[in-house]
Amino acid sequence: MGEHEVTDLGTAAPSQAAPADASGTRDRASIRRTNLGAVLGLLRDGGPRSRARIAADTGLPKPTVTSLVAELVGLGLVSEGPARREGAVGRPGTLVRLDGGGLCGLGVEISTSYVHVLALALDGSQVYAHRVPLAVKAEGPDAVLDLTARHIADCLAALERAGRRPVGLTLAVPGVVDSASATVSFAPGIGWRDVAVADALRSRLRRAGVPTLPPIALENDAKLAALAEYAQVRGSGVRDMLSLTGERGIGAGIVNDGRLLRGADGFAGEVGHMPLDPARNPCVCGRHGCWETMVGLDAILRLAARGSDPLHDPDIALEQRLADLRRRAEAGDPSTVAALDRVAHDLGLGLALLADVLNPRLVVLGGYFTYIGDLLLDRVRDMLRTRVMAPLAGSCEVRLSALGFAAAAHGGAHLALDAVYLRPVP
Amino acid sequence: MGEHEVTDLGTAAPSQAAPADASGTRDRASIRRTNLGAVLGLLRDGGPRSRARIAADTGLPKPTVTSLVAELVGLGLVSEGPARREGAVGRPGTLVRLDGGGLCGLGVEISTSYVHVLALALDGSQVYAHRVPLAVKAEGPDAVLDLTARHIADCLAALERAGRRPVGLTLAVPGVVDSASATVSFAPGIGWRDVAVADALRSRLRRAGVPTLPPIALENDAKLAALAEYAQVRGSGVRDMLSLTGERGIGAGIVNDGRLLRGADGFAGEVGHMPLDPARNPCVCGRHGCWETMVGLDAILRLAARGSDPLHDPDIALEQRLADLRRRAEAGDPSTVAALDRVAHDLGLGLALLADVLNPRLVVLGGYFTYIGDLLLDRVRDMLRTRVMAPLAGSCEVRLSALGFAAAAHGGAHLALDAVYLRPVP
């Protein structure tokens, strides 16, 4: 039942990520907590099912399952009721399903061009979302944090009115973060360096009179996007995945054997500056031929049109400009077609490299790729087929994200909800 | 006590690699087995210690530790005796230490230029080693397997005479393997394709009258080398590591949060063909600028000297040729110095890329780098410092392997021994 693990997505401290020891060496309460979480995770990933089926799926004895389900019902996290069987005859069976008890997780993304506040219920359904366009770099951290705090306060007030209780909030930023101190170390895309964002938000929210705050965590946007994309395929057998977020920069989130790959300091997934061709364009980092100068948003717009073209107008919403790009491609505009071909080639080049290093089963293209990626996919898949060293290209599938620019906020909310799966009882 | 885990190195099936479930949902026998393994692993990684210390280190109650140690003594896996305290006065305490009970693991590497058969005792000490130079590609699979089987039979006979019992054998090959069927899918360096090596060796050993055979597994050489290198630093706090094996090809083994990264099909770590410069030399794979054409053994020899030079003479042992290269560098020979400088630059370039993707705490350079890597290290470290995006280059340290060409065989033996740590009782 590997796919029903709940701890494995966590970006938590090593002690929590090492359940082997926990298993062997901790007490009965800890084992029971793990089992409660395992049942919850099974219902989330596999859907409603009978107690007998839960016992079969988890390998737990049936009396244990009965007792666990009773405790989860008591906590308001699951409910029991008759199965909906269309056209079936006879007595309907009783199914256990996730309920949620009004719990929700918050994800807040501060991106280069917007702030996005979102809440998901325990079953992953969206219960609140609000996105505000914003020139984040130009505004500076103080003004952005002021505005973010206001939108979080609005969200918390709306959730309270709806009788929902937030269990946590995860903030997503495009850059290198120190999760332990919830500090943005270095985020060149928004011009932030050493900003203690959780503290800054907490003090603003307290000043605004928000009575109770959920715990606030911080994570890199690409890693959170990967969590959100993994939540979409969890239960389908995919355990190794690469999620690529294309904006001005390119970031990756890596899921290895069902766990987010963070690396020694949480810096893993910095793929934007892979040096793929020293003869190519200069990068903001001072070098040449970095991958994001080839496949980032600026690259495709620059290749497709001159600087005075409306494609480059920051006052036009990005989705609209990308729709414009699509129309030009469909009309056969030569420079647009050439730009897409070039970007698809270079995207495939870097993905093939990453597929050789990581051997993912699935690559999900998010960010701006969500909007025009279908125009690139054939060429990208072709590059993978011909360049990956593993037989059959390691059976690596490439798909477009269904979440688009909302992926990081979704991932933040999922990570906040993980606390419930890790520790269903207080 | 994350660093004392024993399951986390395993390349075993997902069910075994998912101890979170095991913990929560399996029976008392399974918990006891996990605890027995945890005590064994602690003694291996942390050295001899008192029962009280074991209790403190594992978090297990002292009576449980006493009972576990008694069982391990009964199994002949640990022994208890007085501490050796130089110059101390008073009654010496009693320490528990790994014993091994004559158990050992076998690692057998079939490389491009040799076959290496090696056995390690439970504590990692070497109890048998034999290496035979061989032109593996030219000989073809049948002849090589004949010779390998003979050397394994010799090793098994020697171990039997010494009263040692092999618990398993892992075969290492330079290429893509299907571990489930123990088949070499594709190993261009030795010219093998779809060779069912475990079956082939078993039938040869049976024909040769070997009475009992240990289980035979197969794994990629770079992954096994990574296991061996990780065994060297296990217990030191390193949980994220990249091990690079430099021969004619370049392979990597990746350890992420204490676990070998295998990818969806076990193909991860294929770093030799990372496309770093399309303007550079053609590769055997048909493309240009692959990393191994820049930093592989052939690259450094080609850059250092013309084809007629003794450096290229296959009849001279590689270690000897590398010693010759070192003498030339130390004498200041311009083409040697330029070759080393070029290779160090390109090695640093690729390592910086991998450090950005994986954020390892430690990079270990093995294979031919073991012999001349000290001449490259300054430049390589400098490249990492200036190119890695993470602050302080993600604190990534670069070291030379202490195992050299023996790393893969060592890793094979360690993997075979893991079975004892995973399942100390039958």
Side-chain angles (χ1 to χ4, degrees):
Chain A
M1 48 160 281
E3 59 272 36
H4 305 123
E5 286 163 47
V6 290
T7 55
D8 59 359
L9 265 186
T11 55
S15 69
Q16 286 170 282
D21 311 318
S23 65
T25 61
R26 292 206 191 133
D27 56 11
R28 285 173 158 280
S30 154
I31 293 175
R32 181 154 183 100
R33 202 153 55 219
T34 304
N35 288 343
L36 288 168
V39 172
L40 272 187
L42 177 64
L43 297 173
R44 175 191 61 190
D45 302 334
R49 59 199 57 211
S50 67
R51 286 192 223 154
R53 176 85 187 279
I54 293 172
D57 290 341
T58 57
L60 291 167
K62 277 174 90 172
T64 306
V65 169
T66 298
S67 142
L68 292 169
V69 167
E71 184 164 354
L72 291 170
V73 168
L75 290 163
L77 298 175
V78 310
S79 59
E80 283 188 292
R84 300 172 203 109
R85 299 189 307 166
E86 276 133 46
V89 291
R91 198 167 64 92
T94 298
L95 296 192
V96 185
R97 49 174 61 86
L98 269 192
D99 185 305
L103 298 184
C104 60
L106 266 67
V108 177
E109 183 188 9
I110 298 176
S111 173
T112 50
S113 55
Y114 58 81
V115 170
H116 194 172
V117 178
L118 178 145
L120 300 181
L122 195 60
D123 64 358
S125 59
Q126 184 173 304
V127 295
Y128 183 94
H130 185 58
R131 201 171 89 167
V132 205
L134 191 68
V136 171
K137 193 171 191 168
E139 294 285 337
D142 277 332
V144 171
L145 288 165
D146 285 347
L147 179 123
T148 305
R150 275 204 303 280
H151 286 291
I152 291 172
D154 289 349
C155 171
L156 291 172
L159 293 172
E160 199 184 348
R161 284 194 299 274
R164 295 191 175 272
R165 185 167 70 83
V167 295
L169 182 160
T170 315
L171 203 67
V173 294
V176 169
V177 306
D178 177 14
S179 290
S181 66
T183 300
V184 177
S185 304
F186 181 49
I190 55 174
W192 291 16
R193 188 183 277 276
D194 297 325
V195 180
V197 285
D199 286 347
L201 284 175
R202 259 191 296 266
S203 62
R204 280 166 171 81
L205 286 163
R206 278 205 202 96
R207 249 181 286 142
V210 174
T212 49
L213 284 177
I216 300 181
L218 172 69
E219 191 46 278
N220 167 271
D221 61 348
K223 288 195 183 65
L224 290 176
L227 290 189
E229 302 295 354
Y230 187 62
Q232 302 273 310
V233 298
R234 200 161 40 189
S236 74
V238 172
R239 306 270 305 160
D240 298 271
M241 199 193 78
L242 176 73
S243 137
L244 201 71
T245 304
E247 296 192 42
R248 303 186 69 173
I250 297 287
I254 302 161
V255 174
N256 165 49
D257 196 18
R259 312 198 309 172
L260 187 65
L261 190 152
R262 305 188 83 251
D265 312 280
F267 299 146
E270 284 289 332
V271 299
H273 300 275
M274 299 196 304
L276 298 190
D277 188 350
R280 297 282 279 277
N281 291 311
C283 180
V284 286
C285 74
R287 301 191 292 257
H288 285 75
C290 292
W291 197 28
E292 68 184 40
T293 67
M294 303 178 177
V295 302
L297 180 59
D298 289 348
I300 199 161
L301 297 178
R302 190 188 62 238
L303 287 165
R306 287 160 193 274
S308 58
D309 192 282
L311 279 187
H312 296 280
D313 185 348
D315 291 334
I316 304 176
L318 185 54
E319 282 91 335
Q320 214 173 314
R321 288 187 274 154
L322 291 170
D324 188 8
L325 190 77
R326 165 183 297 281
R327 272 188 301 273
R328 297 182 195 194
E330 283 162 0
D333 170 58
S335 77
T336 307
V337 170
L340 289 168
D341 192 56
R342 178 90 243 190
V343 168
H345 173 276
D346 292 340
L347 187 56
L349 190 72
L351 285 179
L353 186 164
L354 292 170
D356 271 339
V357 175
L358 300 166
N359 184 211
R361 171 74 67 239
L362 173 67
V363 171
V364 178
L365 301 178
Y368 90 80
F369 297 121
T370 315
Y371 301 90
I372 56 163
D374 55 317
L375 304 172
L376 310 169
L377 269 184
D378 284 348
R379 182 84 198 261
V380 166
R381 289 180 178 140
D382 199 48
M383 285 291 285
L384 279 177
R385 246 192 317 274
T386 56
R387 296 199 69 104
V388 171
M389 298 305 291
L392 305 172
S395 320
C396 178
E397 195 193 331
V398 186
R399 255 188 244 163
L400 299 184
S401 166
L403 299 169
F405 289 123
H410 268 263
H414 279 295
L415 187 60
L417 286 170
D418 269 2
V420 181
Y421 291 89
L422 281 169
R423 241 187 137 73
V425 278
Chain B
M1 50 159 278
E3 59 273 37
H4 305 124
E5 286 163 45
V6 290
T7 54
D8 58 0
L9 266 184
T11 54
S15 67
Q16 287 169 282
D21 312 317
S23 67
T25 60
R26 295 211 188 129
D27 56 11
R28 286 172 157 277
S30 152
I31 293 175
R32 182 154 181 97
R33 203 154 52 219
T34 304
N35 288 342
L36 289 169
V39 172
L40 272 188
L42 177 63
L43 296 174
R44 175 190 60 189
D45 302 335
R49 58 198 57 211
S50 67
R51 286 191 222 153
R53 176 85 187 279
I54 293 172
D57 291 341
T58 57
L60 290 167
K62 277 173 87 172
T64 307
V65 169
T66 298
S67 140
L68 292 169
V69 168
E71 183 164 355
L72 291 171
V73 169
L75 290 163
L77 298 175
V78 310
S79 58
E80 283 188 292
R84 299 174 204 106
R85 300 190 305 167
E86 275 133 45
V89 291
R91 201 167 63 91
T94 298
L95 296 191
V96 185
R97 50 173 60 86
L98 270 193
D99 185 308
L103 299 184
C104 61
L106 266 65
V108 177
E109 184 188 7
I110 297 175
S111 173
T112 49
S113 56
Y114 59 80
V115 171
H116 194 171
V117 178
L118 178 144
L120 300 181
L122 195 59
D123 64 359
S125 60
Q126 184 173 302
V127 295
Y128 183 95
H130 186 57
R131 200 170 92 170
V132 205
L134 190 69
V136 170
K137 192 170 191 169
E139 293 285 335
D142 277 333
V144 171
L145 288 166
D146 285 346
L147 179 124
T148 305
R150 275 204 302 280
H151 286 291
I152 292 172
D154 288 350
C155 171
L156 291 173
L159 293 172
E160 201 185 348
R161 282 192 301 272
R164 294 189 176 274
R165 186 166 69 83
V167 294
L169 182 160
T170 316
L171 203 66
V173 294
V176 168
V177 305
D178 177 12
S179 290
S181 66
T183 299
V184 177
S185 305
F186 181 48
I190 55 173
W192 291 16
R193 190 181 274 278
D194 297 324
V195 179
V197 286
D199 287 348
L201 284 176
R202 259 192 294 268
S203 62
R204 280 166 171 81
L205 286 163
R206 279 205 202 93
R207 249 182 284 140
V210 175
T212 49
L213 284 178
I216 299 180
L218 173 69
E219 193 43 280
N220 168 270
D221 60 348
K223 289 197 183 64
L224 290 176
L227 289 188
E229 301 295 353
Y230 187 63
Q232 303 273 308
V233 299
R234 200 161 42 188
S236 73
V238 172
R239 305 272 303 161
D240 297 272
M241 198 193 78
L242 175 73
S243 137
L244 200 71
T245 303
E247 296 191 42
R248 303 186 69 171
I250 297 287
I254 301 160
V255 174
N256 165 48
D257 196 17
R259 311 196 311 170
L260 187 66
L261 190 153
R262 305 187 84 251
D265 313 281
F267 298 147
E270 285 288 333
V271 299
H273 300 273
M274 298 196 304
L276 297 190
D277 187 350
R280 297 284 280 278
N281 292 310
C283 180
V284 287
C285 74
R287 302 190 292 258
H288 286 75
C290 293
W291 197 28
E292 67 183 41
T293 68
M294 302 177 177
V295 302
L297 182 58
D298 290 347
I300 199 162
L301 297 178
R302 189 188 62 240
L303 288 165
R306 290 161 190 273
S308 58
D309 191 282
L311 279 187
H312 297 280
D313 185 348
D315 291 334
I316 303 176
L318 184 55
E319 281 92 335
Q320 213 173 315
R321 287 186 276 155
L322 292 170
D324 188 8
L325 190 78
R326 165 183 296 280
R327 271 190 300 275
R328 297 182 194 194
E330 283 163 358
D333 171 59
S335 77
T336 307
V337 170
L340 289 169
D341 193 58
R342 178 90 245 188
V343 168
H345 173 277
D346 292 340
L347 187 57
L349 191 74
L351 285 179
L353 186 164
L354 292 170
D356 271 340
V357 175
L358 300 165
N359 185 210
R361 170 72 69 240
L362 174 67
V363 171
V364 178
L365 302 178
Y368 92 79
F369 297 120
T370 315
Y371 301 91
I372 56 163
D374 55 317
L375 304 171
L376 310 170
L377 270 184
D378 283 348
R379 181 85 196 261
V380 166
R381 289 180 178 139
D382 200 49
M383 287 289 287
L384 280 177
R385 247 192 318 273
T386 56
R387 296 200 71 104
V388 171
M389 298 304 290
L392 305 173
S395 319
C396 179
E397 194 193 330
V398 186
R399 253 188 246 162
L400 300 183
S401 166
L403 298 169
F405 289 124
H410 268 264
H414 279 296
L415 187 60
L417 286 171
D418 269 3
V420 180
Y421 291 89
L422 281 169
R423 240 188 138 75
V425 278

